[in-house]
Amino acid sequence: MAAPTGAAPDGGSLIRTLPGHAYSTPESFAREQERIFEALWFCALRSADLAAPGAFRTVPIGRENVLVVRNTAGELRAFLNVCSHRGTRLCTEESGTVRRTLRCPYHSWSYDLDGSLVAAPHLARMPQLDRGAHGLRPVALREWLGYAWLCLADRPPSFDTEVRGAVTGRLGDGAAIDHYRVDTLALGRRIRYDVRANWKLLIENFMECYHCPTIHPELVAVLPEFGGGYAAQTGVGRGVAFAEEARGFTVDGGEGFGRLPEIADHQDRRYFAITVRPQVFINLVPDHVIVHRMFPYAYDGTVIECDWLYAPEVIASGADTGRSVELFHRVNEQDFAVCERTQPGMASRAYRAGGVLVPAERHIGEFHSWVTGMLADPPGPPDPTDGPEGPG
Ligand code: FES
């Protein structure tokens, strides 16, 4: 499932994949947690999931757990989910609501919804305790497309370059995504999948369509170009056309919903797929948007939350989104099943040196180069003994 290259990339030599151990060892996953998921912008949750002040959600990112809460001013805040007293996890629930403070269950230190320490037992008798120095550790947060994106890095990379830039790079125009008004859409359905496969297998699968004719009959019926297997996300700006007989992006090609009001004519009856590394897939069709967020938790385990988003009036009307949701739900199940089937092979001696990418998958090599680059040690300081020798 992805957008077309335009020309079929036939010919050329095969490219090696990453070796099997990159997908099958706790050590490689630990390095990815540190160098990738704790370093880049991570799409954590849908802003509307935390509707009212005091609503919170906890999100695993890399080796950390992050607490995201809506403060009394109605803004989202994110903190490491660690009490500054003795390090206890403040919130163990995945989601919930507090009134005005976050209270640690161990010794009852309490923090306001901006993370400041506001109360502690015997606080008045401890003048040496500087409240200002013992708040919760903040985490960088940006909201875009109706989602909260977090970054654990001390100096986060440019959001415009890394996140918006990925979308612009795929669509060819920074305003193209705006036409879908994703931040104004309403949640029609969310399905959470627990996939026993390495997160990179899921990205690689999403990036290529060599497998589409084999495992995605419903998708190919709506997007016949995918039947050629030569679709990829390397084409800039051009979406995949719907079949002439398809009336909508639904499991049986039947009628969907009205086209989102601001999309351009060249976006109508077309499908666009975007990967925002390291953990987001965005699918755009004329009447809805599908957003996948991956939460890798082990070298062989990834939770995926998939949201189907529609115009608010579609959801408010109580319209049946079932056939619309079912198309990509089937695609998800088909994809995740083959990724789970692939995962055990990653640890086999047969795959020790990896496999190959055929020409239709060649662009996945760029993803592998990116992963390898992210995991590489930065160049160290120059060795002082390497310089020209001085006199004497
Ligand atoms: Fe949280 Fe003591 S560890 S109050």
Side-chain angles (χ1 to χ4, degrees):
M1 322 126 332
T5 54
D10 283 319
S13 56
L14 303 182
I15 298 173
R16 298 299 305 185
T17 68
L18 294 172
H21 70 77
Y23 304 83
S24 60
T25 63
E27 294 75 21
S28 59
F29 182 64
R31 197 167 174 91
E32 290 168 349
Q33 293 279 55
E34 178 192 347
R35 301 288 178 94
I36 294 176
F37 296 105
E38 295 173 21
L40 300 177
W41 289 99
F42 188 102
C43 188
L45 53 84
R46 195 167 134 73
S47 303
D49 291 343
L50 303 182
F56 71 84
R57 182 163 171 184
T58 55
V59 185
I61 301 178
R63 298 160 298 176
E64 297 282 1
N65 190 274
V66 180
L67 173 58
V68 189
V69 64
R70 192 169 293 283
N71 71 8
T72 52
E75 296 163 342
L76 291 182
R77 295 282 184 266
F79 315 101
L80 296 183
N81 190 6
V82 178
C83 179
S84 61
H85 176 217
R86 296 260 301 282
T88 299
R89 182 165 288 192
L90 278 178
C91 297
T92 52
E93 305 91 341
E94 188 176 282
S95 62
T97 304
V98 296
R99 282 173 60 82
R100 303 188 72 80
T101 58
L102 298 156
R103 189 170 72 87
C104 178
Y106 196 172
H107 312 90
S108 290
W109 282 29
S110 294
Y111 305 87
D112 68 18
L113 303 185
D114 290 307
S116 298
L117 178 64
V118 291
H122 315 306
L123 189 60
R125 284 187 267 146
M126 297 186 286
Q128 70 277 38
L129 177 59
D130 175 5
R131 281 191 295 173
H134 294 281
L136 299 178
R137 172 88 173 263
V139 172
L141 186 153
R142 292 283 298 267
E143 288 182 80
W144 190 52
L145 303 180
Y147 286 83
W149 304 69
L150 310 181
C151 185
L152 292 172
D154 291 334
R155 287 192 295 175
S158 162
F159 189 88
D160 285 346
T161 302
E162 297 296 323
V163 179
R164 287 177 186 268
V167 175
T168 302
R170 168 69 188 91
L171 298 180
D173 170 9
I177 189 82
D178 297 340
H179 299 160
Y180 294 84
R181 300 291 311 278
V182 184
D183 59 326
T184 70
L185 301 182
L187 182 66
R189 184 80 184 274
R190 170 173 294 162
I191 300 178
R192 178 183 284 212
Y193 307 84
D194 188 347
V195 186
R196 297 302 308 186
N198 185 275
W199 66 279
K200 298 190 296 300
L201 291 181
L202 295 162
I203 286 194
E204 292 161 11
N205 175 80
F206 189 74
M207 290 179 72
E208 54 95 356
C209 213
Y210 189 41
H211 66 278
C212 289
T214 313
I215 71 169
H216 294 318
E218 301 89 352
L219 185 67
V220 168
V222 175
L223 305 174
E225 184 173 328
F226 280 174
Y230 276 108
Q233 290 187 35
T234 52
V236 175
R238 190 169 78 84
V240 182
F242 286 13
E244 266 183 35
E245 62 276 18
R247 283 177 289 143
F249 195 76
T250 59
V251 71
D252 55 6
E255 201 73 51
F257 302 101
R259 136 182 176 178
L260 294 168
E262 296 183 23
I263 65 167
D265 287 344
H266 76 270
Q267 294 171 315
D268 195 13
R269 294 185 59 77
R270 294 211 170 242
Y271 164 84
F272 297 85
I274 307 160
T275 301
V276 183
R277 295 185 296 219
Q279 44 87 242
V280 180
F281 308 142
I282 302 171
N283 301 277
L284 306 170
V285 289
D287 64 339
H288 65 284
V289 172
I290 306 165
V291 178
H292 297 68
R293 284 166 292 136
M294 293 200 296
F295 298 84
Y297 64 85
Y299 71 84
D300 59 352
T302 308
V303 164
I304 299 173
E305 278 192 10
C306 186
D307 292 343
W308 282 260
L309 307 171
Y310 296 86
E313 55 272 21
V314 168
I315 300 306
S317 73
D320 180 5
T321 57
R323 287 180 308 108
S324 173
V325 169
E326 182 64 18
L327 175 53
F328 225 88
H329 173 54
R330 265 188 218 183
V331 170
N332 284 340
E333 290 195 314
Q334 292 155 349
D335 282 336
F336 301 160
V338 291
C339 289
E340 289 189 336
R341 189 171 177 150
T342 301
Q343 180 64 39
M346 300 295 101
S348 167
R349 69 194 71 185
Y351 207 73
R352 197 168 284 156
V356 293
L357 300 171
V358 302
E361 306 166 301
R362 188 174 292 151
H363 55 291
I364 294 175
E366 191 273 328
F367 170 63
H368 291 162
S369 299
W370 176 82
V371 170
T372 302
M374 290 297 294
L375 301 182
D377 287 323
D383 182 344
T385 62
D386 278 354
E389 290 188 3

